[in-house]
Structure formats: structure tokens, C-alpha cells
Amino acid sequence: QVQLVESGGGLVQAGGSLRLSCAASGRTFNYAMGWFRQAPGKAREFVAAISWSGGTTYYRNSVKGRFTISRENAKNTVYLQMNSLKSEDTAVYYCAAVQGRAGTIFEKGRDGVEYWGKGTLVTVSS
């Protein structure tokens, strides 16, 4: 079992920055991690994923160059640094985990995720 707890959400003006954190506990060795988001009335969508080693990352096109996913395995924590935020980034952001390849999250989306956090709300005001 893996437990995931997100933090760092909040209200920010367009153009601003936020850093989300996801603290993992349980049997986390060799788990790839990712972030998804869900805006009101929309489906949950993939945002970014990172391999266990941190050497492989994936991003959805609309956040490339603005968001950076990283991890500190010694702290069992994954981060999502979000810069140049736009109103369309407003959503609840969910941490996700799957044993094995980060590509599983990228390729399969929600269907590739084994564990979910409860989410943290990010609101970007224009």
C-alpha cells in the first residue's frame, strides 16, 4: 500500500508560481510518480510524470517549459514547480503513483495509476 498526501495549493495571480509537494508513505521503492489535474466539469488529465530515478520525465504539451516535476527519494517526496501560471491551470491537482515505469502513467493516463492522493486546489486568478 502507498499513501499520498499533497500540499502547496492555493490562490495565485496569473503569471505567478506555486510549488506542490506530494509526500508518499508505505512501500514506495521503485514507484514512478505523477501529477494529474481536474478542472470543474472536466475529466482528470495527465500533467507530468517522473521515474523512480528521476532521470525520465514526461509532460503534457500545455505545461512544457512552465512546469517541472522532481523528486527526493530520501524524503519520499515529489514536487511540481509551476511557473507562469495561467487561468486555465486552475484545477484540483492529484498526486499519483505506479510501480515501475513512468511511461505507464504517460501512456495510459488515469488507467495506469495504482494510487491516488486526495488532491490540492490550485486557483489562478486573471
Side-chain angles (χ1 to χ4, degrees):
Q1 287 286 337
V2 175
Q3 295 78 42
L4 305 172
V5 179
E6 303 94 336
S7 61
L11 175 64
V12 63
Q13 288 189 330
S17 299
L18 277 177
R19 188 177 81 157
L20 305 183
S21 299
C22 172
S25 60
R27 299 176 64 87
T28 61
F29 178 75
N30 203 35
Y31 271 75
M33 304 291 291
W35 289 93
F36 286 70
R37 65 187 181 187
Q38 187 167 15
K42 295 189 177 181
R44 192 172 298 189
E45 63 184 18
F46 167 79
V47 176
I50 188 167
S51 62
W52 165 255
S53 69
T56 301
T57 57
Y58 300 90
Y59 297 93
R60 71 178 298 104
N61 286 338
S62 62
V63 307
K64 283 181 181 177
R66 299 189 299 123
F67 291 10
T68 302
I69 189 171
S70 61
R71 65 189 299 164
E72 286 188 75
N73 287 341
K75 296 183 178 180
N76 286 335
T77 302
V78 175
Y79 305 98
L80 185 67
Q81 177 67 44
M82 304 185 295
N83 299 328
S84 302
L85 283 161
K86 306 175 181 180
S87 57
E88 51 262 44
D89 295 317
T90 294
V92 177
Y93 282 72
Y94 296 91
C95 184
V98 63
Q99 191 170 32
R101 298 171 52 247
T104 299
I105 298 176
F106 177 67
E107 295 158 8
K108 297 186 177 181
R110 291 171 293 171
D111 290 342
V113 175
E114 293 183 57
Y115 298 99
W116 293 98
K118 293 185 177 181
T120 185
L121 176 63
V122 173
T123 304
V124 184
S125 63
S126 56

